[in-house]
């Protein structure tokens, strides 16, 4: 009887340990998964991050016809710029010149041909649109200036590392591709990457959580072994005031 009681207690203890281990694994997987980590720490949907409206619908291929037209036009423009050897400013000016001449001739010949011109829509920027764009631009510029200020004073190693890697990659890509090709590649990526991410969001967030966890672990090691041993550079309070 005594031995059976001990076996029963040992069995309960092992079952409790298995439950605790399963709970820990479930919690860690949920933290890494879509519910625990989201790419770029965003709280909004992909449609809202892009800005919503027609532009977001085009980028996310909800208006697939317009999205195809954007890719075709970008491809044709890139081929024209690369094959012709002319600059973007030259071709843009020539295209606008031809369009303006054709429109002017058609408007003046409409009276002779007794045809009516279709009314052109009035393109007017409202004050609300300008204020919203200015406020958004101001917030982004202030954020960039704040990050640059922290990097200049050696405060934010992670932002410093990200900026260095980004500028290095930009320099390497600039040595292989022209500005026109980079703009074309950026346009194609803008039309493909957000749509793919929106479709496979859960899987991407899961793997991004694993990468973020590994990067945070290595960053803590660098911070404890290197950064904290560096002499801190503080700005005197009289200079701040």
């Amino acid at each position: 009887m005594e031995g059976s009681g001990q076996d029963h207690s040992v069995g309960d203890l092992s079952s409790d340990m298995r439950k605790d281990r399963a709970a820990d694994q479930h919690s860690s997987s949920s933290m890494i998964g879509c519910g625990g980590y989201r790419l770029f720490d965003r709280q909004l949907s992909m449609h809202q991050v892009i800005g919503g409206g027609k532009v977001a619908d085009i980028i996310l291929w909800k208006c697939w016809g317009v999205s195809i037209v954007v890719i075709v036009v970008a491809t044709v423009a890139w081929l024209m710029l690369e094959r012709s050897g002319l600059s973007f400013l030259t071709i843009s000016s020539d295209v606008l010149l031809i369009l303006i001449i054709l429109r002017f001739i058609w408007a003046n010949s409409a009276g002779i041909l007794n045809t009516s011109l279709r009314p052109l829509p009035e393109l007017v920027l409202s004050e609300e649109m300008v204020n919203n764009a200015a406020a958004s631009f101001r917030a982004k510029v202030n954020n960039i200036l704040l990050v640059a200020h922290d990097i200049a004073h050696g405060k934010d190693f992670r932002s410093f590392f990200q900026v260095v890697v980004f500028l290095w990659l930009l320099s390497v890509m600039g040595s292989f591709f022209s500005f026109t090709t980079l703009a074309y590649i950026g346009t194609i990526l803008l039309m493909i990457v957000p749509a793919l991410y929106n479709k496979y969001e859960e899987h991407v967030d899961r793997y991004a959580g694993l990468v973020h966890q590994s990067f945070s672990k290595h960053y803590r090691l660098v911070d404890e072994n290197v950064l904290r041993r560096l002499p801190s550079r503080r700005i005197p309070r009289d200079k701040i005031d």
Side-chain angles (χ1 to χ4, degrees):
M1 294 293 293
E2 183 178 359
S4 62
Q6 290 179 355
D7 294 338
H8 182 69
S9 62
V10 171
D12 292 339
L13 181 60
S14 61
S15 63
D16 292 337
M17 292 176 63
R18 285 195 296 268
K19 290 180 180 179
D20 293 337
R21 184 179 300 174
D24 292 337
Q25 291 177 355
H26 177 72
S27 61
S28 61
S29 62
S30 63
M31 286 298 292
I32 295 175
C34 182
Y37 179 82
R38 305 188 74 179
L39 199 62
F40 305 118
D41 295 332
R42 58 185 179 84
Q43 301 298 327
L44 303 175
S45 63
M46 197 62 194
H47 190 271
Q48 294 173 336
V49 170
I50 297 175
K54 273 290 185 181
V55 177
D57 293 339
I58 294 172
I59 294 176
L60 295 179
W61 288 77
K62 294 184 178 181
C63 302
W64 60 271
V66 182
S67 302
I68 293 177
V69 170
V70 171
I71 292 182
V72 170
V73 170
T75 303
V76 172
W78 175 70
L79 289 175
M80 288 178 60
L81 290 171
E82 289 295 322
R83 297 296 182 182
S84 64
L86 300 176
S87 63
F88 175 77
L89 182 61
T90 302
I91 293 182
S92 301
S93 300
D94 292 340
V95 171
L96 289 177
L97 179 62
I98 294 173
L99 291 177
I100 290 175
I101 292 175
L102 291 178
R103 180 63 189 181
F104 184 80
I105 294 175
W106 176 252
N108 285 275
S109 61
I112 302 175
L113 300 176
N114 293 325
T115 57
S116 59
L117 292 174
R118 293 182 180 180
L120 295 176
E122 294 184 359
L123 302 177
V124 179
L125 290 177
S126 63
E127 184 177 357
E128 183 180 0
M129 293 176 59
V130 174
N131 292 334
N132 291 335
S136 177
F137 180 75
R138 175 177 174 272
K140 292 179 180 180
V141 170
N142 286 335
N143 188 20
I144 294 174
L145 293 177
L146 182 61
V147 172
H149 180 271
D150 292 339
I151 292 175
H153 289 90
K155 294 181 180 180
D156 195 344
F157 175 77
R158 180 174 297 183
S159 298
F160 167 75
F161 178 75
Q162 292 175 352
V163 170
V164 168
V165 171
F166 174 76
L167 293 177
W168 177 74
L169 290 176
L170 196 62
S171 176
V172 172
M173 293 178 63
S175 61
F176 290 101
F177 305 104
S178 63
F179 177 77
T180 306
T181 304
L182 288 177
Y184 173 70
I185 293 174
T187 303
I188 298 300
L189 291 178
L190 182 63
M191 296 299 300
I192 294 177
V193 174
L196 291 177
Y197 174 71
N198 188 56
K199 185 176 181 180
Y200 303 102
E201 179 178 358
E202 183 178 354
H203 302 286
V204 174
D205 285 341
R206 184 181 300 114
Y207 290 112
L210 293 173
V211 174
H212 181 266
Q213 187 181 27
S214 177
F215 179 78
S216 299
K217 180 180 179 181
H218 292 294
Y219 175 77
R220 284 195 299 269
L221 294 175
V222 174
D223 184 46
E224 293 175 357
N225 297 326
V226 179
L227 297 181
R228 293 186 180 180
R229 297 182 182 182
L230 296 176
S232 60
R233 290 179 286 179
R234 297 180 179 178
I235 303 175
R237 184 171 294 275
D238 55 352
K239 292 185 178 181
I240 297 179
D241 299 336

